[in-house]
Amino acid sequence: MGIISVTQEDGLYWLGRYTERVYTTIRLYAKYYDEMIEHDDFYIQFCQRMEIPNIYSSGEDFIKRYGYDKENPDSLISNMYRAYDNAVTLRELIRSSALSYVQLAVYAMNRAAQSQAPLLELQKVCDYIVAFWGIIDDSISVNQVRDLIKTGRRLERVDLYARMRYEEGEMREAIRRLTSYRLARSGLACSKARIANLEKYKKDNILDYDDIVFQVEHIFDDD
């Protein structure tokens, strides 16, 4: 396999971010499904923390449109299709066997949109995404391909965990995984200052969730 182009690097990185975005958001979606329907303040707060437009009329409207509206760029299904589009263009790097799991996740997402029990199909989406990550780890011999996808995943996870105010232990572990390994190996031009600012949260510093989001958003700024 030859040198990975800048365009492919970007695609692999975003493939990691989109798959993680769908995976982690579905977990939140499932955990708070009933609450989102019954309490409008939850989805309003969700939109605020995710910095997405609140275009929804109710919790029930949010469940449907945020989950399955293909015309909504912020929806789960839109992000799943972005992951799939990236995977298709990167087929030669990730192989057809890995691409097939992303495709299966898209199929499951579409079934969820039509299902009376969507959480069952959404769990399948998560299962297929995990299978995709597993086959990337198991069958891709080019370190940079794996590390770019994992860097995207880890950055997205830290960003989402901070936005949604995850429990302290999970937040610190997500930061540890990101800063201890993936950023250094990805080859991406990350800001050393931003990495250092994130690393201070691995141990005893009081978590500043807004600052963590800021550091991730500016991780590629020049030092």
Side-chain angles (χ1 to χ4, degrees):
M1 186 176 293
I3 297 173
I4 298 173
S5 71
V6 173
T7 300
Q8 289 172 326
E9 285 184 359
D10 186 68
L12 291 164
Y13 166 77
W14 280 104
L15 177 56
R17 289 205 71 150
Y18 288 136
T19 51
E20 180 66 44
R21 186 174 302 173
V22 173
Y23 177 80
T24 293
T25 308
I26 285 176
R27 291 173 62 201
L28 285 167
Y29 198 76
K31 182 177 181 180
Y32 296 107
Y33 187 84
D34 293 333
E35 188 173 346
M36 285 189 286
I37 292 177
E38 296 171 4
H39 305 289
D40 286 351
D41 59 334
F42 184 91
Y43 86 83
I44 293 170
Q45 184 182 71
F46 181 91
C47 291
Q48 291 171 343
R49 287 184 176 178
M50 296 295 288
E51 296 185 69
I52 61 175
N54 181 2
I55 59 173
Y56 313 101
S57 60
S58 66
E60 188 172 359
D61 184 50
F62 173 81
I63 287 288
K64 293 178 180 177
R65 296 178 64 195
Y66 183 77
Y68 315 113
D69 182 359
K70 295 178 183 178
E71 301 303 316
N72 178 0
D74 299 310
S75 68
L76 289 172
I77 200 166
S78 291
N79 280 290
M80 193 68 249
Y81 270 105
R82 290 190 192 104
Y84 175 69
D85 290 342
N86 275 22
V88 169
T89 63
L90 297 164
R91 182 197 297 264
E92 292 185 3
L93 293 177
I94 66 172
R95 302 182 182 178
S96 296
S97 54
L99 170 61
S100 67
Y101 282 108
V102 181
Q103 191 167 31
L104 287 168
V106 170
Y107 292 158
M109 184 71 77
N110 279 294
R111 289 194 299 272
Q114 305 300 321
S115 176
Q116 297 300 311
L119 294 183
L120 296 176
E121 292 298 336
L122 289 177
Q123 181 57 54
K124 292 180 182 178
V125 175
C126 288
D127 292 344
Y128 290 133
I129 289 173
V130 170
F132 164 72
W133 292 335
I135 203 167
I136 289 295
D137 264 344
D138 185 63
S139 65
I140 302 300
S141 59
V142 180
N143 290 336
Q144 191 181 11
V145 171
R146 297 197 309 272
D147 291 331
L148 282 164
I149 291 172
K150 287 189 175 182
T151 295
R153 281 184 58 198
R154 298 305 184 197
L155 274 168
E156 186 69 22
R157 181 168 293 189
V158 169
D159 181 70
L160 291 174
Y161 279 18
R163 289 180 185 277
M164 298 311 297
R165 306 303 196 257
Y166 261 59
E167 184 272 328
E168 180 178 327
E170 289 185 276
M171 187 75 258
R172 294 191 193 279
E173 176 62 14
I175 292 171
R176 185 195 66 77
R177 289 188 178 190
L178 172 66
T179 59
S180 298
Y181 177 57
R182 293 300 163 199
L183 285 173
R185 295 188 58 170
S186 69
L188 296 172
C190 301
S191 164
K192 293 180 180 178
R194 301 298 178 196
I195 295 171
N197 288 337
L198 285 171
E199 284 184 323
K200 71 183 182 182
Y201 295 116
K202 289 195 297 187
K203 294 184 178 179
D204 298 326
N205 291 70
I206 296 173
L207 292 175
D208 183 336
Y209 289 97
D210 291 331
D211 181 61
I212 293 168
V213 171
F214 179 83
Q215 301 305 328
V216 171
E217 286 182 335
H218 295 276
I219 198 74
F220 298 116
D221 290 355
D222 293 333
D223 285 323

